[in-house]
């Protein structure tokens, strides 16, 4: 007996063996059990996901000597005939080559006769969307009044091309694309049974190339096994598939994140020398960065990033210290470069230029990240200027603002005048906060205790929108209330009311815009930020 290709040798013979698609096989099993199986069934879904395989199993379920049953015996005459592909009462028709009206008329004439020895005559029409309009009309006639002994099963990759009149007479089942981990696991199982030694990387490359199709994956695996003597190395798989080593993709992203332009140019050169298609390499790199972004956005990207589990871990490690905004920027830039690379006369050069452009882009920080960094920096300044707990620490962080604030709230505070008034306690809270989150502490300086009654304190804060937003961030709000508990006592209920300041409200009556701009530019916080990011002040806007 000659070599039997894997997809035929291991074709599932019962619903349990079908890879994924349990949402379809379970529904069919229930329909059989409850006697509600329709006389026309449509299977739609991507190629190689099991449409005709499920149709054949269903044919067995219907015609099995012990049936109808969801678990056909696979030993009776009908089951054996269907397994061998020579069933007397099951007709597999290729819709693409039998798409004319006369083919369907012939089918109708044939369907009028009773089955040879089974319960039903079953017609499985593959690629049914290829039928001509006249053929569909002829098919509709028999679907409207089907003989009791006839059953139709249609398979299609394009259900949108099937007339609604046909669709409405079918029980429809949509098959899903098969995820990469399921394809890898299925191939690994077959290789084990066949005694074939192949690496997980090799299987990953095949599964990726198969793009959700089990049939394609097994056909590629067949091709690779034939081309390799003994154990199948990852290099052999790469040679046959023409894909690039997955490790190279991780090397590219690592070089981008560490700013090694030279390394990327070397990698591109290496791929070029090995005869790799530059456009294909770019597509794979683009997809790799897309997956990295998805992993960064979501700890468990699920089917969105179709990557095997062992790569998911590598990706998580690689993006751990990379800002989301930077990843998004890289992907956006690479996506825009795609249109230059595909039509380029010299795609290698186009690829190099694309990465040189990407490498010239520096990470940008989000507002949250920026505030966190400034806080950390400010923290360093505070700690170096004054010992912890000293009121001087506060003055050092923002001397100008503190002075003006003291004028507004004349209550002075110090360690030598207990018991503290509420205003003093509020100031103490600001001091405590300024050591851990200086930017947030600055926001609270505008706070005034407007009401104290029956263990209840109300703090009113009028500030600009930015500061109000900062106060109202859930984490910040919770921290402020926690500190309130520390300074006012746990039995006091503190409510904070925020209000956005009207334009010019922060300016103070005597200050013109020029003086305010100067004050902003010389503010220690601004100076620190300029120093931290090695930047310059482009403009100052009055809020
Ligand atoms: Zn049987």
């Amino acid at each position: 007996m000659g070599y039997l290709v894997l997809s035929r040798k291991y074709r599932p013979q019962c619903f349990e063996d079908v890879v994924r698609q349990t949402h379809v096989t379970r529904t069919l099993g229930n329909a059989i059990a409850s006697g509600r199986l329709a006389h026309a069934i449509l299977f739609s879904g991507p190629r190689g996901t099991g449409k005709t395989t499920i149709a054949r199993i269903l044919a067995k379920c219907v015609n099995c000597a012990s049936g109808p049953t969801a678990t056909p015996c696979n030993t009776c005459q009908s089951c054996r005939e269907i397994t061998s592909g020579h069933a007397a009462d099951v007709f597999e028709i290729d819709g693409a080559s039998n798409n004319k009206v006369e083919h369907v008329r012939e089918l109708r004439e044939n369907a009028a006769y009773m089955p040879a020895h089974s319960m039903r005559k079953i017609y499985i029409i593959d690629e049914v969307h290829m039928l001509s309009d006249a053929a569909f009309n002829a098919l509709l006639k028999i679907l409207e009044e089907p003989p009791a002994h006839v059953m139709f099963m249609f398979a299609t990759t394009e259900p949108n091309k099937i007339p609604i009149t046909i669709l409405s007479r079918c029980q429809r089942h949509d098959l899903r694309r098969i995820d990469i981990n399921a394809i890898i696991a299925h191939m690994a199982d077959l290789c084990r049974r066949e005694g074939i030694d192949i690496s997980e990387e090799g299987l990953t490359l095949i599964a990726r190339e198969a793009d959700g199709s089990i049939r394609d994956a097994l056909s590629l695996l067949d091709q690779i096994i034939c081309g390799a003597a003994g154990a199948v190395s990852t290099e052999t798989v790469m040679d046959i598939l023409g894909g690039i080593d997955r490790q190279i993709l991780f090397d590219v992203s690592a070089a981008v994140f560490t700013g090694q332009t030279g390394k990327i140019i070397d990698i591109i050169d290496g791929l070029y020398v090995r005869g790799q298609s530059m456009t294909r390499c770019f597509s794979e790199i683009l997809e790799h960065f897309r997956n990295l972004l998805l992993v960064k956005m979501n700890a468990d990207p699920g089917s969105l990033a179709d990557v095997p589990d062992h790569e998911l871990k590598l990706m998580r490690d690689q993006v751990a210290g990379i800002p989301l905004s930077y990843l998004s920027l890289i992907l956006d830039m690479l996506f825009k470069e795609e249109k230059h690379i595909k039509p380029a006369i010299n795609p290698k050069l186009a690829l190099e230029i694309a990465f040189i452009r990407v490498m010239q882009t520096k990470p940008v920080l989000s507002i949250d990240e920026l505030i966190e960094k400034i806080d950390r920096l400010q923290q360093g300044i505070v700690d170096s200027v004054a010992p912890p707990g000293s009121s001087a620490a506060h003055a050092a962080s923002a001397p100008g603002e503190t002075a003006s604030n003291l004028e507004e709230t004349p209550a002075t505070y110090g360690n030598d005048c207990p018991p503290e008034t509420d205003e003093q306690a509020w100031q103490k809270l600001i001091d405590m906060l300024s050591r851990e989150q200086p930017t947030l502490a600055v926001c609270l300086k505008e706070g005034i205790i407007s009401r104290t009654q029956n263990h209840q304190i109300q703090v009113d804060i009028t500030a600009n929108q930015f500061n109000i937003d900062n106060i109202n961030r859930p984490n910040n709000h919770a921290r402020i209330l926690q500190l309130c508990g520390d300074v006012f006592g746990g039995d006091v209920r503190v409510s904070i009311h925020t209000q956005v300041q009207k334009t010019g409200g922060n300016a103070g009556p005597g200050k013109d815009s020029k003086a305010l701009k100067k004050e902003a530019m010389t503010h220690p916080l601004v100076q620190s930020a300029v120093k931290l990011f090695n930047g310059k002040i482009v403009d100052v806007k009055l809020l």
Side-chain angles (χ1 to χ4, degrees):
M1 190 177 166
Y3 178 73
L4 198 58
V5 294
L6 291 170
S7 55
R8 283 191 59 197
K9 189 171 176 183
Y10 292 100
R11 175 170 288 154
Q13 301 300 339
C14 59
F15 285 147
E16 266 187 8
D17 292 345
V18 176
V19 181
R20 295 291 197 258
Q21 321 298 6
T22 44
H23 63 294
V24 172
T25 53
R26 197 180 296 134
T27 310
L28 288 172
N30 291 340
I32 293 166
S34 59
R36 289 198 186 124
L37 202 60
H39 68 272
I41 293 183
L42 172 73
F43 296 106
S44 72
R47 55 195 293 270
T49 51
K51 297 183 292 295
T52 50
T53 298
I54 291 178
R56 281 186 200 126
I57 298 173
L58 184 60
K60 277 188 193 175
C61 293
V62 171
N63 276 351
C64 179
S66 58
T69 170
T71 51
C73 70
N74 272 316
T75 53
C76 71
Q77 185 187 356
S78 172
C79 284
R80 279 186 283 117
E81 280 182 1
I82 295 171
T83 303
S84 67
H86 301 102
D89 296 315
V90 178
F91 305 88
E92 287 197 32
I93 299 158
D94 173 22
S97 51
N98 296 279
N99 62 345
K100 296 194 173 70
V101 64
E102 48 266 39
H103 294 126
V104 178
R105 281 196 191 125
E106 206 177 295
L107 183 154
R108 273 169 46 194
E109 282 166 23
N110 178 287
Y113 298 100
M114 293 302 284
H117 59 77
S118 317
M119 282 280 290
R120 298 234 185 142
K121 267 190 163 173
I122 298 172
Y123 295 89
I124 301 174
I125 306 182
D126 200 7
E127 301 296 347
V128 70
H129 63 271
M130 299 291 279
L131 295 191
S132 66
D133 289 349
F136 270 128
N137 282 334
L139 188 64
L140 186 61
K141 286 208 174 101
I142 193 168
L143 284 181
E144 281 170 340
E145 289 178 49
H149 63 269
V150 171
M151 189 171 171
F152 288 96
M153 297 180 196
F154 305 125
T156 182
T157 48
E158 298 185 64
N160 54 312
K161 290 188 178 167
I162 299 173
I164 189 78
T165 46
I166 301 281
L167 284 177
S168 64
R169 282 171 176 79
C170 296
Q171 189 179 74
R172 180 171 165 175
H173 298 272
D174 293 332
L175 277 70
R176 293 175 188 149
R177 191 175 177 280
I178 299 167
D179 67 277
I180 196 163
N181 285 314
I183 295 181
I184 292 171
H186 185 62
M187 286 193 296
D189 181 42
L190 299 196
C191 286
R192 212 166 21 246
R193 285 151 78 172
E194 286 285 307
I196 294 159
D197 185 11
I198 182 166
S199 66
E200 190 171 0
E201 285 76 23
L203 291 178
T204 304
L205 286 168
I206 299 168
R208 190 169 289 283
E209 184 74 13
D211 196 23
S213 162
I214 281 272
R215 186 176 56 227
D216 285 3
L218 295 187
S219 151
L220 286 168
L221 186 59
D222 268 321
Q223 196 185 331
I224 285 158
I225 293 167
C226 290
V232 184
S233 68
T234 307
E235 288 71 31
T236 309
V237 178
M238 280 191 296
D239 283 349
I240 293 172
L241 295 182
I244 66 174
D245 188 344
R246 303 286 303 160
Q247 183 55 46
I248 290 178
L249 297 175
F250 283 90
D251 290 346
V252 169
S253 47
V256 169
F257 298 149
T258 50
Q260 299 178 75
T261 311
K263 173 122 193 244
I264 291 180
I265 302 294
D266 281 348
I267 293 173
I268 293 172
D269 191 52
L271 291 168
Y272 182 74
V273 169
R274 284 202 294 279
Q276 299 278 0
S277 150
M278 290 290 104
T279 49
R280 181 176 167 159
C281 287
F282 185 76
S283 295
E284 292 197 26
I285 293 169
L286 189 61
E287 198 192 341
H288 178 63
F289 274 96
R290 174 227 179 232
N291 288 340
L292 286 171
L293 180 72
L294 285 175
V295 169
K296 182 74 189 180
M297 287 165 66
N298 192 339
D300 181 17
S303 58
L304 288 175
D306 203 5
V307 290
D309 293 338
H310 67 278
E311 282 193 14
L312 199 58
K313 188 185 174 307
L314 285 176
M315 288 183 164
R316 280 201 197 105
D317 291 346
Q318 202 166 55
V319 298
I322 310 298
L324 178 66
S325 49
Y326 184 45
L327 273 172
S328 172
L329 186 67
I330 295 171
L331 185 64
D332 186 47
M333 289 187 74
L334 289 176
F335 185 68
K336 284 178 182 153
E337 291 292 339
E338 196 178 22
K339 65 176 182 289
H340 300 300
I341 289 166
K342 285 200 167 161
I345 295 167
N346 185 343
K348 178 176 180 259
L349 182 65
L351 197 58
E352 287 169 352
I353 291 170
F355 274 99
I356 289 168
R357 282 206 189 107
V358 167
M359 301 303 278
Q360 283 170 345
T361 309
K362 297 288 176 230
V364 286
L365 294 175
S366 67
I367 292 290
D368 283 348
E369 290 161 339
L370 198 67
I371 288 175
E372 198 189 324
K373 264 200 155 174
I374 292 174
D375 271 348
R376 267 191 266 128
L377 183 87
Q378 191 82 329
Q379 174 75 49
I381 294 171
V382 170
D383 287 348
S384 65
V385 170
S390 155
S391 61
H394 178 68
S397 67
E401 289 195 24
T402 306
S404 64
N405 198 40
L406 285 174
E407 280 170 20
E408 281 172 28
T409 51
T412 54
Y413 106 93
N415 294 333
D416 56 347
C417 56
E420 288 171 336
T421 64
D422 291 331
E423 291 291 355
Q424 285 167 343
W426 181 249
Q427 186 61 50
K428 187 176 176 183
L429 181 147
I430 292 171
D431 278 354
M432 287 164 79
L433 194 59
S434 69
R435 283 192 283 280
E436 58 180 77
Q437 282 177 271
T439 45
L440 183 58
V442 168
C443 303
L444 297 189
K445 280 185 192 161
E446 307 302 330
I448 293 168
I449 293 177
S450 61
R451 203 154 60 92
T452 310
Q453 200 176 25
N454 298 336
H455 293 277
Q456 286 200 345
I457 292 176
Q458 182 179 320
V459 181
D460 289 340
I461 303 175
T462 305
N464 63 38
Q465 186 68 57
F466 182 84
N467 285 352
I468 295 293
D469 287 348
N470 201 11
I471 291 167
N472 288 330
R473 279 173 218 273
N475 285 350
N476 289 348
H477 201 79
R479 180 63 185 138
I480 294 166
L481 290 182
Q482 198 181 15
L483 285 172
C484 284
D486 292 346
V487 298
F488 293 109
D491 57 335
V492 177
R493 254 190 81 209
V494 179
S495 56
I496 296 171
H497 292 217
T498 53
Q499 194 184 353
V500 179
Q501 196 167 42
K502 299 261 187 315
T503 310
N506 194 32
K511 290 178 181 172
D512 62 13
S513 63
K514 210 171 170 182
L516 275 170
K517 282 189 178 183
K518 192 179 172 192
E519 188 181 302
M521 287 170 85
T522 53
H523 191 287
L525 199 62
V526 176
Q527 293 289 310
S528 302
V530 169
K531 193 176 160 197
L532 177 66
F533 300 110
N534 195 22
K536 62 176 184 178
I537 299 167
V538 180
D539 191 15
V540 178
K541 282 187 180 153
L542 295 174
L543 294 171

